[in-house]
Amino acid sequence: MDSFLKATHLYCENHTSVPDSVLYELERETYLKIMSPQMISGRTQGRFLEFISSMIQPKAILEVGTFTGYAAICMARGLVEGGILHTIEVNPELKWIAQKYFAKAKLESKIKYHNADARELIPTLDLNFDLIFIDAAKKENDLYYEMLLPKLSPKGYLMIDNVLWSGKVVRDEQDTDTQLI
């Protein structure tokens, strides 16, 4: 990461509210026990997702790529009364930590965890979503986008993680992942 990106990231971190104890514990446990812990949404992104969700107050959210559940918790906090967040994670080894923290956050009744391949599950979901967050295998972004666009409510929002890819999308040298994004 170049110095401009580091400075921007530090500025954002310094001006973002500190996470509550549940999110703090989740991030800490993720870094202690899970492979590739840097994939966690974390404080800045989590607060942004919570802000967006609270602003639009969705009735139904879909997250593709749960990892350990940080983003799901943040977005579920903005649901209207009776709303539901569906989250899809293909890795069965991550279910225990996500569900543990959904319970700690007292959101287990608002979050429906699907341990499945999103490519297979999405066509079976007979719902329209007010908010969709794609945070899974980057090479599948196009596919998920095409599959999910018809499931987006008319006034819904669709967000895709990592679209700037640490600034690589505007640099001349681009690796395979950057080109996919």
Side-chain angles (χ1 to χ4, degrees):
M1 195 182 305
D2 64 31
S3 61
F4 173 76
L5 289 174
K6 284 181 186 175
T8 303
H9 179 76
L10 184 60
Y11 176 85
C12 290
E13 283 287 314
N14 289 336
H15 292 86
T16 299
S17 302
V18 176
D20 62 28
S21 62
V22 172
L23 292 173
Y24 175 81
E25 288 174 34
L26 171 55
E27 187 167 13
R28 182 163 165 70
E29 188 163 359
T30 299
Y31 272 87
L32 289 172
K33 298 180 179 174
I34 304 297
M35 297 283 291
S36 302
Q38 74 279 2
M39 290 176 25
I40 196 168
S41 290
R43 177 171 137 189
T44 304
Q45 183 174 338
R47 288 295 191 199
F48 177 73
L49 292 170
E50 187 173 344
F51 168 74
I52 295 294
S53 183
S54 296
M55 184 175 65
I56 65 174
Q57 298 187 322
K59 184 171 175 79
I61 301 173
L62 177 64
E63 175 187 42
V64 181
T66 314
F67 192 51
T68 58
Y70 197 103
I73 290 170
C74 293
M75 290 185 291
R77 289 177 171 169
L79 286 163
V80 296
E81 188 66 37
I84 188 89
L85 180 144
H86 290 263
T87 186
I88 307 168
E89 176 58 51
V90 71
N91 184 347
E93 295 179 8
L94 296 172
K95 183 177 182 178
W96 70 271
I97 191 167
Q99 290 191 323
K100 172 182 175 179
Y101 284 93
F102 296 163
K104 280 189 171 208
K106 297 182 179 12
L107 292 168
E108 64 267 45
S109 66
K110 291 186 169 200
I111 300 175
K112 179 155 178 53
Y113 185 96
H114 301 273
N115 189 211
D117 183 325
R119 296 170 297 183
E120 296 170 9
L121 181 68
I122 290 169
T124 71
L125 296 174
D126 190 24
L127 296 165
N128 284 328
F129 296 97
D130 304 310
L131 178 60
I132 296 173
F133 181 48
I134 300 171
D135 187 12
K138 305 312 167 210
K139 67 183 179 195
E140 304 291 342
N141 279 353
D142 283 350
L143 175 66
Y144 295 141
Y145 177 82
E146 294 298 328
M147 292 176 80
L148 291 168
L149 206 51
K151 296 186 179 291
L152 188 62
S153 298
K155 293 184 180 181
Y157 295 84
L158 189 145
M159 301 184 296
I160 302 175
D161 189 51
N162 296 121
V163 295
L164 300 178
W165 204 237
S166 298
K168 291 182 184 180
V169 294
V170 295
R171 293 192 191 125
D172 289 334
E173 74 285 354
Q174 291 192 357
D175 55 52
T176 305
D177 286 338
T178 305
Q179 290 174 2
L180 284 169
I181 290 168

